[in-house]
Amino acid sequence: MTPSNLLPVIDSGMCIGCGACVAADPSLRLEFDERNQMWQPNGPGNAEAVGVCPAVQVDFEHLHEKLFPGQEVTPHGVVEQVLLAQSTNRARNLAASSGGLIKELMLELLRSGQVDGVIALTEIQGLHYEPRLITELDEIDSLPGSIYHHVPFDNALRILREKPGRYALVAIPCQLEGIFTYIFKHEPELADRIAITIGLLCGWLYSHHALRALAQFKGIAYEQVQGISYRGEGPVGKLTIQTDRGPRLVSRRIDFDYQVAFDRSFNTPRCHVCINHSNFLADIVVGDAWLPSTLMTRSGISLVVCRKPQTLQLVQELIDGGQIVATEVSVDEITESQTRKVVFGDFAYAYADYLKEIGRHVPQMAGPNRTEAQLADRDAVRRFDNRLLAKLALQRAAKYRQLWWRKASVEAWPLAKRYLTWFFVRVLKIKSLTGKRKEVGREKTSIFR
């Protein structure tokens, strides 16, 4: 049943801070919750707020009809073409760690006059980021890269409502779910102000508990953290903590403190039931190409999913202008790069069913990938939930060191198994050796650095 207000969303910590409820109910504002270390509405709100909240329901079928009329919807969403691509600007490429395509797209859209501006996250101060309107080319390269921690996104709708023009909007999947649900229910004319959406292949969103834990592990007072950069210096990249004593670099692949602080238990609760990591509602989707065939490149490569002919033309303009190099691949590379359990929601659908069964709040949503989902075992889901509840209790009590020791002891084997899987699949290319799949050939990847 649909709740009468947002209390179930607030109590379950399912809010993702998209701001749709704030636009629908003027009595609401987003505030930072110290217990969960996340942004959420400051009150229960009214029925209008409930009706646009993506932590209550998302009608993908309706949104696809509105955003992609007449186009075929596959288990991967609407797909015109899938590519691997890379910026030819080495500095931009290395700063992004994953190909630099998003900034190249923003620059081309502004340079060609296809948009009046870009709505994207900008650093306000320290760890606080908000969507702002970018209109100048020289502002693009100063924008932050991927932001993994929970942010308030309500300013995006505020800009669309208050500033006439045609804009590109850069967002993660759940932010677009909330924005478009609000627009088509309340202000459909705002859809004309979004010339194009640039979506990210989502690699999970984390509460600020993750940042507090990492700072503690590194002996840094959280109050001294002046900023965080999650990517940079090539593929995978390093996380950089800015303090008044200078930067601290943290390896995202081998640093044990990082593995603890960015354990899945630090994800926002809605991430665990998200079935839309591939960003079904974005016109063009960009993310890391985590593929064996791209592993040994010295700078990152982007996986690009074009969902409209318009975005194919935009990519071709970048190729013709020499800003990027690209090669066409298949939808199989989406599945391989992001893993099938993420792309098709194998675990998320099963976990949502489990939460419904035991009477806990969960969003109502079924994406186009539902038909391909191979649901995870119920006992595995139950065990995950029990572990998650225990870890969340430790986080809320700021007992991060106990989580560190837990990862070093009872969870050491699962972590080691993940590295072994990475080695066999990505380095040894075991799937290709056993005939399960065929890697992208050297003739297609030789164009990349």
Side-chain angles (χ1 to χ4, degrees):
M1 294 180 62
T2 301
S4 59
N5 58 42
L6 294 175
L7 279 180
V9 174
I10 296 169
D11 292 343
S12 63
M14 288 278 181
C15 178
I16 49 84
C18 68
C21 64
V22 175
D25 180 353
S27 73
L28 295 178
R29 68 178 187 277
L30 294 181
E31 64 179 11
F32 191 73
D33 178 71
E34 294 294 337
R35 178 174 179 267
N36 291 322
Q37 289 288 299
M38 290 164 39
W39 294 85
Q40 62 184 30
N42 65 325
N46 58 24
E48 299 299 333
V50 171
V52 298
C53 177
V56 174
Q57 71 273 305
V58 181
D59 188 343
F60 283 104
E61 184 176 357
H62 171 71
L63 293 174
H64 272 113
E65 289 173 357
K66 291 289 188 181
L67 295 169
F68 306 100
Q71 291 183 261
E72 180 187 3
V73 182
T74 76
H76 289 282
V78 173
V79 179
E80 287 286 331
Q81 193 174 76
V82 183
L83 306 105
L84 297 178
Q86 184 183 71
S87 170
T88 56
N89 182 311
R90 183 168 175 78
R92 189 169 295 136
N93 186 298
L94 291 174
S97 293
S98 59
L101 260 289
I102 290 180
K103 289 183 177 177
E104 293 291 0
L105 290 166
M106 291 191 283
L107 286 165
E108 180 64 20
L109 288 165
L110 282 174
R111 188 185 297 115
S112 63
Q114 296 179 56
V115 299
D116 299 308
V118 177
I119 301 171
L121 282 177
T122 60
E123 183 179 358
I124 305 304
Q125 184 178 6
L127 299 174
H128 185 57
Y129 294 80
E130 285 184 6
R132 292 291 175 92
L133 181 59
I134 308 300
T135 58
E136 301 297 329
L137 291 173
D138 59 7
E139 295 180 90
I140 297 297
D141 277 320
S142 65
L143 291 173
S146 298
I147 305 301
Y148 285 39
H149 63 263
H150 206 264
V151 299
F153 210 72
D154 51 315
N155 202 42
L157 270 170
R158 195 172 295 119
I159 292 169
L160 291 171
R161 299 171 92 184
E162 297 176 359
K163 296 185 181 296
R166 295 266 291 163
Y167 305 116
L169 174 62
V170 184
I172 61 175
C174 52
Q175 291 163 349
L176 290 182
E177 292 165 9
I179 286 171
F180 281 123
T181 298
Y182 171 82
I183 285 175
F184 291 124
K185 283 196 173 186
H186 291 282
E187 297 186 69
E189 65 275 11
L190 295 185
D192 293 332
R193 294 190 182 173
I194 303 176
I196 184 172
T197 50
I198 302 172
L200 285 75
L201 280 172
C202 191
W204 320 105
L205 197 62
Y206 293 83
S207 77
H208 288 235
H209 279 297
L211 306 181
R212 288 182 174 274
L214 185 61
Q216 183 184 102
F217 299 155
K218 296 303 180 185
I220 300 170
Y222 187 70
E223 295 70 23
Q224 294 178 354
V225 177
Q226 298 175 340
I228 283 190
S229 172
Y230 289 90
R231 307 301 295 271
E233 300 191 14
V236 183
K238 288 183 169 60
L239 180 147
T240 303
I241 306 173
Q242 296 291 345
T243 72
D244 54 5
R245 297 184 178 181
R248 289 282 300 276
L249 270 61
V250 180
S251 169
R252 297 176 64 245
R253 176 161 283 167
I254 61 174
D255 188 285
F256 186 74
D257 293 338
Y258 179 91
Q259 299 304 320
V260 177
F262 287 86
D263 174 81
R264 285 289 313 279
S265 65
F266 285 91
N267 288 150
T268 59
R270 190 183 181 278
C271 289
H272 300 301
V273 294
C274 177
I275 48 81
N276 183 23
H277 291 271
S278 299
N279 219 327
F280 296 132
L281 306 182
D283 297 327
I284 186 168
V285 186
V286 180
D288 293 289
W290 300 121
L291 299 168
S293 53
T294 64
L295 180 66
M296 305 311 293
T297 53
R298 289 170 292 173
S299 49
I301 296 175
S302 294
L303 182 68
V304 182
V305 183
C306 296
R307 301 199 186 279
K308 285 184 176 178
Q310 166 198 8
T311 56
L312 278 176
Q313 181 180 345
L314 177 59
V315 169
Q316 191 60 52
E317 290 169 3
L318 288 169
I319 295 171
D320 294 343
Q323 292 104 305
I324 71 170
V325 291
T327 186
E328 184 178 0
V329 293
S330 73
V331 293
D332 291 340
E333 306 313 314
I334 303 175
T335 306
E336 182 63 21
S337 176
Q338 306 303 307
T339 74
R340 72 148 288 121
K341 72 175 183 179
V342 171
V343 170
F344 298 124
D346 293 352
F347 179 84
Y349 281 119
Y351 189 38
D353 287 347
Y354 174 76
L355 292 178
K356 291 175 196 173
E357 179 185 325
I358 64 174
R360 302 226 307 264
H361 175 76
V362 64
Q364 303 298 312
M365 54 183 176
N369 56 358
R370 182 64 180 84
T371 56
E372 295 294 315
Q374 299 172 9
L375 298 188
D377 178 75
R378 185 187 183 282
D379 284 341
V381 169
R382 178 183 53 79
R383 289 193 297 271
F384 169 83
D385 185 60
N386 290 338
R387 290 193 299 268
L388 177 61
L389 292 176
K391 291 180 178 182
L392 288 176
L394 291 173
Q395 289 175 29
R396 290 162 181 163
K399 295 180 178 179
Y400 306 128
R401 185 57 65 178
Q402 289 191 32
L403 292 166
W404 193 97
W405 284 111
R406 179 172 180 143
K407 180 73 77 174
S409 55
V410 297
E411 295 181 3
W413 168 240
L415 179 62
K417 184 179 178 182
R418 193 172 74 187
Y419 279 108
L420 285 170
T421 300
W422 172 84
F423 179 74
F424 279 101
V425 173
R426 300 283 167 85
V427 179
L428 296 185
K429 303 180 182 179
I430 193 69
K431 289 185 180 180
S432 292
L433 292 176
T434 57
K436 289 185 177 180
R437 74 181 304 269
K438 184 178 180 180
E439 300 297 341
V440 178
R442 179 63 184 162
E443 72 281 1
K444 287 194 171 186
T445 59
S446 61
I447 60 174
F448 302 120
R449 287 189 296 269

PDB file of all heavy atoms in Angstrom, residues 271-287:
ATOM      1  N   CYS A 271      19.960   2.027  -2.018  1.00  0.00           N
ATOM      2  CA  CYS A 271      20.874   1.425  -2.995  1.00  0.00           C
ATOM      3  C   CYS A 271      20.734  -0.097  -3.030  1.00  0.00           C
ATOM      4  O   CYS A 271      20.928  -0.719  -4.079  1.00  0.00           O
ATOM      5  CB  CYS A 271      22.318   1.790  -2.665  1.00  0.00           C
ATOM      6  SG  CYS A 271      22.752   3.506  -2.973  1.00  0.00           S
ATOM      7  N   HIS A 272      20.395  -0.686  -1.882  1.00  0.00           N
ATOM      8  CA  HIS A 272      20.317  -2.138  -1.811  1.00  0.00           C
ATOM      9  C   HIS A 272      19.115  -2.703  -2.577  1.00  0.00           C
ATOM     10  O   HIS A 272      19.086  -3.894  -2.890  1.00  0.00           O
ATOM     11  CB  HIS A 272      20.258  -2.596  -0.358  1.00  0.00           C
ATOM     12  CG  HIS A 272      21.459  -2.188   0.441  1.00  0.00           C
ATOM     13  ND1 HIS A 272      22.729  -2.574   0.108  1.00  0.00           N
ATOM     14  CD2 HIS A 272      21.572  -1.409   1.553  1.00  0.00           C
ATOM     15  CE1 HIS A 272      23.585  -2.054   0.980  1.00  0.00           C
ATOM     16  NE2 HIS A 272      22.912  -1.349   1.858  1.00  0.00           N
ATOM     17  N   VAL A 273      18.110  -1.869  -2.837  1.00  0.00           N
ATOM     18  CA  VAL A 273      16.953  -2.319  -3.605  1.00  0.00           C
ATOM     19  C   VAL A 273      16.859  -1.609  -4.950  1.00  0.00           C
ATOM     20  O   VAL A 273      15.852  -1.716  -5.646  1.00  0.00           O
ATOM     21  CB  VAL A 273      15.637  -2.126  -2.811  1.00  0.00           C
ATOM     22  CG1 VAL A 273      15.615  -3.022  -1.585  1.00  0.00           C
ATOM     23  CG2 VAL A 273      15.436  -0.664  -2.409  1.00  0.00           C
ATOM     24  N   CYS A 274      17.935  -0.922  -5.336  1.00  0.00           N
ATOM     25  CA  CYS A 274      17.930  -0.202  -6.622  1.00  0.00           C
ATOM     26  C   CYS A 274      18.099  -1.185  -7.777  1.00  0.00           C
ATOM     27  O   CYS A 274      19.011  -2.004  -7.784  1.00  0.00           O
ATOM     28  CB  CYS A 274      19.044   0.834  -6.652  1.00  0.00           C
ATOM     29  SG  CYS A 274      19.144   1.700  -8.241  1.00  0.00           S
ATOM     30  N   ILE A 275      17.216  -1.068  -8.757  1.00  0.00           N
ATOM     31  CA  ILE A 275      17.294  -1.944  -9.929  1.00  0.00           C
ATOM     32  C   ILE A 275      17.642  -1.134 -11.189  1.00  0.00           C
ATOM     33  O   ILE A 275      17.540  -1.639 -12.302  1.00  0.00           O
ATOM     34  CB  ILE A 275      15.952  -2.702 -10.124  1.00  0.00           C
ATOM     35  CG1 ILE A 275      14.720  -1.770 -10.042  1.00  0.00           C
ATOM     36  CG2 ILE A 275      15.831  -3.774  -9.049  1.00  0.00           C
ATOM     37  CD1 ILE A 275      14.402  -1.018 -11.282  1.00  0.00           C
ATOM     38  N   ASN A 276      18.091   0.106 -10.985  1.00  0.00           N
ATOM     39  CA  ASN A 276      18.287   1.039 -12.103  1.00  0.00           C
ATOM     40  C   ASN A 276      19.702   1.595 -12.133  1.00  0.00           C
ATOM     41  O   ASN A 276      19.907   2.781 -12.376  1.00  0.00           O
ATOM     42  CB  ASN A 276      17.260   2.187 -11.994  1.00  0.00           C
ATOM     43  CG  ASN A 276      17.352   3.162 -13.160  1.00  0.00           C
ATOM     44  OD1 ASN A 276      17.844   2.821 -14.238  1.00  0.00           O
ATOM     45  ND2 ASN A 276      16.894   4.381 -12.950  1.00  0.00           N
ATOM     46  N   HIS A 277      20.692   0.768 -11.878  1.00  0.00           N
ATOM     47  CA  HIS A 277      22.074   1.253 -11.921  1.00  0.00           C
ATOM     48  C   HIS A 277      22.488   1.667 -13.333  1.00  0.00           C
ATOM     49  O   HIS A 277      23.420   2.452 -13.502  1.00  0.00           O
ATOM     50  CB  HIS A 277      23.019   0.181 -11.397  1.00  0.00           C
ATOM     51  CG  HIS A 277      22.876  -0.066  -9.934  1.00  0.00           C
ATOM     52  ND1 HIS A 277      23.581   0.624  -8.982  1.00  0.00           N
ATOM     53  CD2 HIS A 277      22.074  -0.916  -9.240  1.00  0.00           C
ATOM     54  CE1 HIS A 277      23.241   0.218  -7.782  1.00  0.00           C
ATOM     55  NE2 HIS A 277      22.326  -0.720  -7.906  1.00  0.00           N
ATOM     56  N   SER A 278      21.799   1.161 -14.348  1.00  0.00           N
ATOM     57  CA  SER A 278      22.140   1.489 -15.738  1.00  0.00           C
ATOM     58  C   SER A 278      21.499   2.789 -16.213  1.00  0.00           C
ATOM     59  O   SER A 278      21.669   3.167 -17.364  1.00  0.00           O
ATOM     60  CB  SER A 278      21.730   0.345 -16.667  1.00  0.00           C
ATOM     61  OG  SER A 278      22.402  -0.842 -16.335  1.00  0.00           O
ATOM     62  N   ASN A 279      20.768   3.467 -15.335  1.00  0.00           N
ATOM     63  CA  ASN A 279      20.200   4.786 -15.632  1.00  0.00           C
ATOM     64  C   ASN A 279      19.270   4.757 -16.846  1.00  0.00           C
ATOM     65  O   ASN A 279      19.519   5.393 -17.871  1.00  0.00           O
ATOM     66  CB  ASN A 279      21.319   5.816 -15.835  1.00  0.00           C
ATOM     67  CG  ASN A 279      20.964   7.170 -15.232  1.00  0.00           C
ATOM     68  OD1 ASN A 279      19.802   7.566 -15.222  1.00  0.00           O
ATOM     69  ND2 ASN A 279      21.962   7.875 -14.742  1.00  0.00           N
ATOM     70  N   PHE A 280      18.156   4.035 -16.702  1.00  0.00           N
ATOM     71  CA  PHE A 280      17.206   3.833 -17.796  1.00  0.00           C
ATOM     72  C   PHE A 280      16.619   5.134 -18.353  1.00  0.00           C
ATOM     73  O   PHE A 280      16.186   5.164 -19.498  1.00  0.00           O
ATOM     74  CB  PHE A 280      16.039   2.951 -17.319  1.00  0.00           C
ATOM     75  CG  PHE A 280      16.427   1.564 -16.923  1.00  0.00           C
ATOM     76  CD1 PHE A 280      15.986   1.019 -15.719  1.00  0.00           C
ATOM     77  CD2 PHE A 280      17.221   0.781 -17.737  1.00  0.00           C
ATOM     78  CE1 PHE A 280      16.319  -0.263 -15.344  1.00  0.00           C
ATOM     79  CE2 PHE A 280      17.570  -0.510 -17.376  1.00  0.00           C
ATOM     80  CZ  PHE A 280      17.125  -1.032 -16.177  1.00  0.00           C
ATOM     81  N   LEU A 281      16.573   6.197 -17.544  1.00  0.00           N
ATOM     82  CA  LEU A 281      15.850   7.404 -17.956  1.00  0.00           C
ATOM     83  C   LEU A 281      16.739   8.462 -18.587  1.00  0.00           C
ATOM     84  O   LEU A 281      16.237   9.492 -19.039  1.00  0.00           O
ATOM     85  CB  LEU A 281      15.117   8.004 -16.743  1.00  0.00           C
ATOM     86  CG  LEU A 281      14.180   7.055 -15.991  1.00  0.00           C
ATOM     87  CD1 LEU A 281      13.487   7.789 -14.855  1.00  0.00           C
ATOM     88  CD2 LEU A 281      13.154   6.425 -16.932  1.00  0.00           C
ATOM     89  N   ALA A 282      18.048   8.241 -18.631  1.00  0.00           N
ATOM     90  CA  ALA A 282      18.965   9.227 -19.195  1.00  0.00           C
ATOM     91  C   ALA A 282      19.072   9.066 -20.709  1.00  0.00           C
ATOM     92  O   ALA A 282      19.024   7.956 -21.239  1.00  0.00           O
ATOM     93  CB  ALA A 282      20.342   9.093 -18.563  1.00  0.00           C
ATOM     94  N   ASP A 283      19.262  10.184 -21.401  1.00  0.00           N
ATOM     95  CA  ASP A 283      19.409  10.153 -22.860  1.00  0.00           C
ATOM     96  C   ASP A 283      20.729   9.512 -23.273  1.00  0.00           C
ATOM     97  O   ASP A 283      20.812   8.828 -24.284  1.00  0.00           O
ATOM     98  CB  ASP A 283      19.348  11.576 -23.433  1.00  0.00           C
ATOM     99  CG  ASP A 283      18.007  12.234 -23.184  1.00  0.00           C
ATOM    100  OD1 ASP A 283      16.988  11.518 -23.171  1.00  0.00           O
ATOM    101  OD2 ASP A 283      17.969  13.467 -23.001  1.00  0.00           O
ATOM    102  N   ILE A 284      21.770   9.788 -22.510  1.00  0.00           N
ATOM    103  CA  ILE A 284      23.074   9.168 -22.749  1.00  0.00           C
ATOM    104  C   ILE A 284      23.664   8.821 -21.393  1.00  0.00           C
ATOM    105  O   ILE A 284      23.559   9.599 -20.442  1.00  0.00           O
ATOM    106  CB  ILE A 284      24.011  10.100 -23.561  1.00  0.00           C
ATOM    107  CG1 ILE A 284      25.313   9.380 -23.917  1.00  0.00           C
ATOM    108  CG2 ILE A 284      24.271  11.420 -22.844  1.00  0.00           C
ATOM    109  CD1 ILE A 284      26.162  10.120 -24.948  1.00  0.00           C
ATOM    110  N   VAL A 285      24.242   7.642 -21.273  1.00  0.00           N
ATOM    111  CA  VAL A 285      24.743   7.140 -19.995  1.00  0.00           C
ATOM    112  C   VAL A 285      26.244   6.876 -20.127  1.00  0.00           C
ATOM    113  O   VAL A 285      26.700   6.295 -21.110  1.00  0.00           O
ATOM    114  CB  VAL A 285      24.018   5.846 -19.586  1.00  0.00           C
ATOM    115  CG1 VAL A 285      24.439   5.425 -18.185  1.00  0.00           C
ATOM    116  CG2 VAL A 285      22.510   6.022 -19.652  1.00  0.00           C
ATOM    117  N   VAL A 286      26.990   7.312 -19.109  1.00  0.00           N
ATOM    118  CA  VAL A 286      28.449   7.181 -19.137  1.00  0.00           C
ATOM    119  C   VAL A 286      28.923   6.579 -17.821  1.00  0.00           C
ATOM    120  O   VAL A 286      28.432   6.939 -16.745  1.00  0.00           O
ATOM    121  CB  VAL A 286      29.125   8.554 -19.350  1.00  0.00           C
ATOM    122  CG1 VAL A 286      30.644   8.404 -19.385  1.00  0.00           C
ATOM    123  CG2 VAL A 286      28.629   9.212 -20.634  1.00  0.00           C
ATOM    124  N   GLY A 287      29.876   5.666 -17.911  1.00  0.00           N
ATOM    125  CA  GLY A 287      30.444   5.082 -16.700  1.00  0.00           C
ATOM    126  C   GLY A 287      31.745   4.370 -17.007  1.00  0.00           C
ATOM    127  O   GLY A 287      32.216   4.353 -18.150  1.00  0.00           O
TER     128      GLY A 287
END
